[in-house]
Amino acid sequence: MEFLSMKRSYTLYISILMLLRLVGCDEHDHTYKEGEEVVLWMNTVGPYHNRQETYSYFSLPFCRGQKASISHYHETLGEALLGVELDFSGIDIDFKGDFSHTEYCSIELSEENFQAFIYAVENHYWYQMYIDDLPIWGIVGEVDEGGDGHYIWTHKKFDIGYNGPYIVDVNLTSEAKVKLKPGIKIPFTYEVKWQASKINFEDRFDKYLDPNFFQHRIHWFSIFNSFMMVIFLVGLVSMILMRTLRKDYARYSKEEDLDDMEKDLGDEYGWKQVHGDVFRPASNALVFSALIGTGYHIAVVTLSVILFTIVGELYTERGSLLSTAIFVYAATSPVNGYFGGSLYARMGGKLWIKQMIVSAFMMPAAICGTAFFINFIAIYYHASRAIPFTTMV
């Protein structure tokens, strides 16, 4: 009996381990086994020259693949607040599984779909996709240089690099452009090629940080101009300050020849009148202390998030930066209470509960009010950044 009990326990233990491995192998721990499902997410589409104007990928008349469902998808808080709504492409991709030229869907180009694609091509629409959290960009189509017509790219070629059980590199090549004409049938195809890579998993985002990847241009003249402007302003302020102080120093050297009344009258002019305002309590001490406490709070949150980003590489996960900022803001709320409340007490304030409530809700109310207004505009234009009302609440 004891042997059978041990055998059953061992079998249960092995079953649990196998189940955990099956559940754990996906894009959330970024480890895959050979032949396992790799999800291609479609994110947004929009004009290249206005990166803030984005819409859902399937707002254009693209078609989905034949695969109807996937085994996993978990939206984070940061993704929800950023308005990131990933759509499953329906394209079947397996880890280390090459796919030759394969058609995954086709569309009949009606007049409405034709006009939608024409508008997208003329405005240089581009789209974004994700494979294992690695972003990929592609262009919808192009206008023929000779004015012959509008073309759309119909073939997606994925070159995916792997290192062990990890996906470390993804590249997209758009091929097979088709001229847009009303009434034609357009097939969409894809191709997947896997190849071993020497890139470490920890370094797979390095190419997105390379200035040459996004072709950033460093405006050296603007930097030099700003630097010289700062030097000029510092010199100008220093010169004015030294001239003012020099007159005061000269007057102080003659104070021995002045009586007390002349000294008192002499102190009541010029920049030194500020000393009467520095230590005078604010007319509205409650709001003033709330603003000071909120300023300290924002400074601590900003510094903490920057440090966490340097240490933890938050840019590698969608929405993680915003989620971290919200968590740090909540965790460091005593900073606001301490600095704002202590200042309010030093100025003789008595309504400390009211001051605490104002300090706690001042910044969230301002941000949420602005966000609600912008979000209603985004909902009106059906932009991808529109956040559902319940999520906002």
Side-chain angles (χ1 to χ4, degrees):
M1 292 294 293
E2 184 178 356
F3 173 75
L4 290 175
S5 178
M6 291 178 61
K7 184 177 180 181
R8 289 172 183 170
S9 300
Y10 178 76
T11 304
L12 180 62
Y13 175 73
I14 295 298
S15 301
I16 292 175
L17 285 180
M18 292 180 64
L19 180 62
L20 288 175
R21 289 197 63 180
L22 288 174
V23 173
C25 294
D26 62 14
E27 63 185 13
H28 297 287
D29 62 3
H30 306 290
T31 58
Y32 297 87
K33 295 184 297 184
E34 187 169 352
E36 190 180 357
E37 174 188 45
V38 177
V39 182
L40 173 64
W41 296 105
M42 317 306 290
N43 187 18
T44 56
V45 64
Y48 179 79
H49 299 291
N50 185 5
R51 307 296 178 87
Q52 302 302 318
E53 182 185 352
T54 57
Y55 307 96
S56 171
Y57 176 82
F58 290 106
S59 62
L60 287 179
F62 288 114
C63 54
R64 301 176 187 267
Q66 299 178 356
K67 194 169 184 179
S69 61
I70 55 174
S71 61
H72 55 273
Y73 174 55
H74 309 285
E75 187 182 51
T76 64
L77 174 64
E79 289 177 332
L81 293 178
L82 289 174
V84 177
E85 295 184 4
L86 302 181
D87 293 315
F88 179 48
S89 62
I91 297 178
D92 189 15
I93 300 178
D94 297 329
F95 188 67
K96 295 184 181 181
D98 290 345
F99 281 85
S100 58
H101 194 283
T102 305
E103 179 179 341
Y104 63 90
C105 69
S106 61
I107 60 170
E108 294 284 346
L109 200 60
S110 63
E111 181 63 28
E112 182 180 358
N113 295 343
F114 171 74
Q115 294 297 333
F117 276 128
I118 289 293
Y119 181 83
V121 171
E122 288 182 347
N123 289 275
H124 307 284
Y125 269 44
W126 67 319
Y127 55 85
Q128 185 185 48
M129 304 179 292
Y130 285 99
I131 290 182
D132 193 49
D133 287 343
L134 292 174
I136 322 166
W137 295 273
I139 195 74
V140 173
E142 65 178 20
V143 180
D144 186 71
E145 295 181 356
D148 187 31
H150 300 76
Y151 293 84
I152 185 174
W153 299 102
T154 61
H155 181 69
K156 297 179 176 64
K157 181 181 179 182
F158 298 97
D159 293 304
I160 307 177
Y162 66 91
N163 189 348
Y166 303 108
I167 296 176
V168 295
D169 188 30
V170 180
N171 292 296
L172 171 66
T173 305
S174 298
E175 299 176 347
K177 62 181 182 180
V178 175
K179 187 176 182 180
L180 294 172
K181 295 180 181 179
I184 65 172
K185 182 178 181 181
I186 301 180
F188 289 91
T189 58
Y190 78 105
E191 179 182 353
V192 180
K193 184 177 181 182
W194 293 83
Q195 53 190 1
S197 175
K198 295 182 179 179
I199 301 175
N200 296 325
F201 176 76
E202 296 79 10
D203 303 329
R204 64 179 190 156
F205 276 90
D206 286 356
K207 79 172 187 178
Y208 302 105
L209 303 177
D210 185 4
N212 296 324
F213 183 81
F214 288 104
Q215 298 180 356
H216 293 305
R217 295 179 180 178
I218 301 176
H219 300 279
W220 291 109
F221 179 76
S222 299
I223 295 174
F224 178 76
N225 188 29
S226 301
F227 180 72
M228 295 303 297
M229 184 65 70
V230 169
I231 294 178
F232 172 75
L233 291 177
V234 170
L236 181 63
V237 172
S238 301
M239 183 180 64
I240 296 174
L241 187 61
M242 290 303 298
R243 291 186 63 180
T244 305
L245 294 178
R246 186 171 56 189
K247 291 181 180 180
D248 290 331
Y249 291 150
R251 187 169 59 85
Y252 292 154
S253 64
K254 299 179 181 179
E255 282 188 351
E256 296 179 357
D257 301 331
L258 301 176
D259 56 16
D260 294 337
M261 182 176 293
E262 289 179 338
K263 290 181 181 179
D264 294 337
L265 292 175
D267 287 337
E268 295 300 326
Y269 73 91
W271 63 274
K272 288 196 295 181
Q273 289 181 348
V274 177
H275 81 277
D277 293 326
V278 171
F279 300 104
R280 182 181 295 124
S283 58
N284 195 334
L286 191 147
V287 176
F288 180 74
S289 61
L291 289 171
I292 296 298
T294 302
Y296 275 103
H297 196 182
I298 295 174
V300 172
V301 171
T302 303
L303 181 61
S304 300
V305 172
I306 292 175
L307 293 177
F308 284 138
T309 305
I310 295 173
V311 175
E313 297 183 352
L314 299 179
Y315 57 84
T316 61
E317 298 289 342
R318 293 185 304 270
S320 59
L321 191 63
L322 181 59
S323 300
T324 303
I326 293 173
F327 174 78
V328 173
Y329 180 83
T332 57
S333 56
V335 174
N336 189 341
Y338 174 78
F339 287 101
S342 61
L343 179 61
Y344 183 66
R346 288 197 300 271
M347 290 189 295
K350 303 297 182 181
L351 305 174
W352 63 270
I353 296 180
K354 186 177 180 180
Q355 193 276 339
M356 178 185 66
I357 295 175
V358 172
S359 297
F361 287 98
M362 176 175 287
M363 182 179 173
I367 292 179
C368 290
T370 306
F372 267 106
F373 176 73
I374 296 175
N375 192 61
F376 284 135
I377 298 176
I379 292 174
Y380 177 78
Y381 285 100
H382 304 285
S384 67
R385 296 181 182 272
I387 306 172
F389 181 77
T390 54
T391 303
M392 288 287 291
V393 173

